[in-house]
Amino acid sequence: MSAISLPIFLMIFSLTATLFFYRRYQWQNRLQGFKLPPGPRGWPVIGNLLALPSEQGWVVFRDWSRTYGNMIFLRAFGTPMLVISSPDICRDLMEKRSAIYSDKARFTIDELTGWDFNLGVMPYGQRWRGVRAYFHQYFNSVVTPSYHAKQTEQVHAFLRRCLDQADKQLDPGCVRLTLAATIIDLAYGQQILSMDDDYMKLTLEAIDGFVESKVIGKFWVDFMPFLKYLPPWLPGSGAVRYGARYRPVTEEMLDRPFRDIQSGANQNPSMLREILLKLKDEPDTERRSAQEQYAKQATGIAYAAASDTTYSLLQTFFCAMAMSPEIRKKAQKELEFVIGPDRLPTYDDQNDLPYIQAIFLECVRWLPVVPLGIPHRLITDDYYDGYFIPEGTVIIPNVWQMLRDPQDYPDPERFNPDRYLKDDVLNPDVRDPSVVAFGFGRRICPGRHFAKDNAFLTIATILHAFDVLPSIDEHGNEMDPTPKMTSTGGLCYPDRLHYMLRPRSEASEALVRATATAA
């Protein structure tokens, strides 16, 4: 930076920072005299910023709730936050009052990394409505059954890859590839045959950038947006450098398949191509351009929204089955009775397999993929249970704690699908954990129908064809398959994956190999 521009920058930066802190001071003064929800005492100016947990925040917030209750009020540089640990309170606020609780928190890091196109973090507005309209068009509950054939094809391909890795630790990339191949084929008509595919690598790198940025309080720019104007060489500009690292990757992830389809290089049937063909005759060039961007962003988040979440859920399933042979055998007994030995499960069998459905629900509950949910933002002042909740409050649902409430789920640390069953059918009196895990109100996950379908078929076919067993170490001893959880940003993954798959019989192996001929 030149000698002339540096003083100008410092002057602009100082004025912006002064205005920011003055407005925050005014906001804090406005709260005087109001009864706020309880929470830990913070420091002047920065509030509770230094106390925000960088790892396993759901556990820290659980511990705080034992002192402060199910509503914990926090501040970070004047940004109000409310951590909620009760599904009933979440329902009262984010569903019954969804008109004012359905906005999304403004995280400046999403803008810097190029991920502000993601429906999960996008605030209300025309852009959100445009992107969501396209996403809903292709992933609503009426449309998703039309994808069952393609999902089945990819799950069967996954089974065949599992045969190649029988009796040894299953490569995690094998699981990811199944999810990627399905959704990228649907969205773009691209065939992904291995994790070494260039677009696959690009997408995973972009997703890494997004996930790593989701630690609450990791980047102060989320609470002091003026920091985004810092030159990257200045101390405190970590978010700027992080954005410079990942934004080009994110943009290329979106632009590459769009360019290929728009130029005619990729003419395979796909969601994006279908939309672009319909927009081709739009006479209003400005509207056409806007709609093309909405379509590009809607299809761009399709894989990102499903990949890590479904991957984590399936890894939870594999670990749980290796830990609990009695559960696996009970599920296989149900499959043998309903399906028989001569075919693999299909989507049409779902209602006849309540225990398989219960295993899915328990995977969702036991190790929730997004333990702190997706933050919402209150757009106007509100009152609840005698407490004042100010406009702009970021609402953080502690999903992990909700799904470990012993009143809803006795002995919550135990993986127990039977908790959802009564007289061999799903018990409607047990709280459905997927209702909590997939979000609340108008911001509920729009891809949940596709994700549930994919998880059901994968779980059912794996258990019908394979035994999931603990891995064997170099000394011939069984390894402990109990997972340890590792958090990457806002997501949680089972770590220490010590399991392997083995065909249940020669007949099972033959069924799997026959899928190649059918395909």
Side-chain angles (χ1 to χ4, degrees):
M1 183 174 286
S2 68
I4 296 177
S5 58
L6 179 59
I8 295 175
F9 164 77
L10 291 176
M11 180 183 69
I12 295 174
F13 180 80
S14 299
L15 289 174
T16 305
T18 300
L19 177 61
F20 172 82
F21 283 114
Y22 176 69
R23 293 185 65 181
R24 284 291 188 252
Y25 173 77
Q26 284 184 315
W27 179 87
Q28 290 184 334
N29 278 347
R30 187 173 74 87
L31 297 184
Q32 300 302 317
F34 287 100
K35 183 182 179 183
L36 297 168
R41 187 171 182 177
W43 294 90
V45 183
I46 65 172
N48 305 104
L49 181 64
L50 299 181
L52 292 178
S54 59
E55 293 186 357
Q56 296 195 332
W58 45 95
V59 178
V60 175
F61 292 148
R62 186 273 313 274
D63 294 341
W64 288 1
S65 72
R66 292 169 178 168
T67 301
Y68 303 108
N70 287 327
M71 297 172 65
I72 306 170
F73 191 78
L74 306 166
R75 306 177 198 175
F77 280 115
T79 298
M81 295 180 285
L82 184 65
V83 180
I84 301 177
S85 303
S86 161
D88 294 328
I89 296 176
C90 283
R91 185 185 66 244
D92 288 345
L93 298 183
M94 291 190 279
E95 292 186 1
K96 294 183 179 179
R97 306 183 189 182
S98 61
I100 60 174
Y101 280 91
S102 293
D103 198 14
K104 284 298 179 180
R106 271 72 164 178
F107 292 125
T108 307
I109 191 65
D110 295 324
E111 173 190 338
L112 293 176
T113 59
W115 272 98
D116 52 344
F117 73 90
N118 188 343
L119 279 174
V121 301
M122 193 185 299
Y124 262 152
Q126 179 56 46
R127 184 188 184 195
W128 179 84
R129 288 189 292 271
V131 174
R132 191 183 186 283
Y134 280 124
F135 197 93
H136 179 74
Q137 176 182 341
Y138 287 95
F139 288 98
N140 66 72
S141 59
V142 176
V143 172
T144 48
S146 66
Y147 307 142
H148 285 174
K150 195 170 289 291
Q151 288 174 301
T152 300
E153 176 185 329
Q154 293 297 340
V155 169
H156 288 175
F158 172 59
L159 296 182
R160 297 194 295 273
R161 289 193 291 271
C162 290
L163 284 180
D164 297 334
Q165 300 183 37
D167 288 325
K168 59 184 179 182
Q169 172 63 48
L170 184 65
D171 180 7
C174 182
V175 182
R176 285 191 182 275
L177 178 59
T178 302
L179 305 171
T182 305
I183 195 67
I184 293 178
D185 188 6
L186 288 171
Y188 301 127
Q190 291 184 209
Q191 306 302 310
I192 304 294
L193 301 178
S194 92
M195 293 299 291
D196 292 327
D197 182 274
D198 287 343
Y199 184 71
M200 193 69 256
K201 291 179 178 179
L202 178 70
T203 301
L204 289 176
E205 185 179 359
I207 291 173
D208 285 345
F210 174 74
V211 172
E212 290 285 353
S213 72
K214 291 295 104 181
V215 177
I216 297 174
K218 178 175 182 177
F219 293 108
W220 287 19
V221 72
D222 286 334
F223 307 107
M224 296 184 290
F226 63 85
L227 292 178
K228 69 181 179 181
Y229 299 112
L230 285 175
W233 49 267
L234 271 182
S237 62
V240 176
R241 293 192 296 273
Y242 190 86
R245 162 75 178 82
Y246 281 105
R247 187 179 184 91
V249 180
T250 305
E251 291 177 343
E252 180 64 9
M253 178 194 72
L254 285 174
D255 291 342
R256 183 184 296 182
F258 181 83
R259 290 195 305 264
D260 289 345
I261 293 174
Q262 196 174 47
S263 67
N266 177 1
Q267 298 189 35
N268 296 325
S270 68
M271 298 174 185
L272 184 56
R273 185 167 186 270
E274 181 178 298
I275 296 171
L276 294 182
L277 286 175
K278 290 179 180 178
L279 291 173
K280 199 170 184 180
D281 297 328
E282 169 60 53
D284 187 333
T285 56
E286 185 174 336
R287 182 182 184 280
R288 182 174 68 247
S289 177
Q291 292 298 317
E292 287 176 348
Q293 292 302 307
Y294 298 153
K296 179 171 71 172
Q297 293 167 8
T299 51
I301 65 172
Y303 173 66
S307 60
D308 279 359
T309 52
T310 308
Y311 168 78
S312 178
L313 185 143
L314 290 177
Q315 294 291 23
T316 295
F317 158 72
F318 287 125
C319 292
M321 293 301 99
M323 287 172 52
S324 311
E326 72 285 355
I327 293 175
R328 169 176 56 81
K329 291 175 182 178
K330 184 173 181 177
Q332 290 170 335
K333 185 177 180 180
E334 179 183 69
L335 286 160
E336 290 166 2
F337 178 77
V338 174
I339 307 301
D342 300 325
R343 68 179 180 90
L344 293 172
T346 70
Y347 287 103
D348 293 336
D349 299 312
Q350 188 163 356
N351 291 335
D352 297 323
L353 297 170
Y355 198 68
I356 299 298
Q357 294 182 65
I359 288 176
F360 164 75
L361 292 174
E362 188 68 342
C363 289
V364 170
R365 183 204 69 82
W366 192 48
L367 298 177
V369 180
V370 189
L372 289 178
I374 301 296
H376 289 220
R377 179 179 178 273
L378 177 62
I379 63 173
T380 187
D381 292 344
D382 193 24
Y383 291 87
Y384 181 79
D385 197 25
Y387 293 113
F388 174 67
I389 308 175
E391 173 190 350
T393 297
V394 176
I395 311 297
I396 303 171
N398 192 346
V399 170
W400 181 86
Q401 184 176 352
M402 296 179 207
L403 297 181
R404 271 171 168 66
D405 186 339
Q407 292 186 347
D408 286 331
Y409 312 104
D411 193 8
E413 296 300 323
R414 179 184 169 211
F415 188 90
N416 178 25
D418 287 284
R419 70 175 80 246
Y420 304 101
L421 299 171
K422 183 178 181 180
D423 299 328
D424 295 326
V425 296
L426 291 177
N427 184 359
D429 294 330
V430 178
R431 192 188 297 271
D432 183 344
S434 68
V435 172
V436 174
F438 281 109
F440 300 92
R442 300 179 185 179
R443 288 302 188 120
I444 191 170
C445 173
R448 64 193 182 280
H449 307 295
F450 184 89
K452 287 180 178 180
D453 286 352
N454 217 53
F456 161 77
L457 190 65
T458 305
I459 290 171
T461 51
I462 283 289
L463 287 175
H464 196 51
F466 291 89
D467 287 329
V468 186
L469 306 169
S471 296
I472 305 298
D473 65 17
E474 63 272 19
H475 304 294
N477 300 316
E478 282 191 357
M479 304 176 72
D480 181 6
T482 305
K484 289 184 177 179
M485 298 307 292
T486 182
S487 58
T488 307
L491 300 182
C492 205
Y493 301 88
D495 202 359
R496 194 179 69 175
L497 304 174
H498 295 161
Y499 66 83
M500 64 182 186
L501 273 61
R502 177 181 296 163
R504 295 182 63 196
S505 65
E506 291 183 0
S508 298
E509 181 174 345
L511 273 180
V512 173
R513 295 200 184 281
T515 61
T517 304

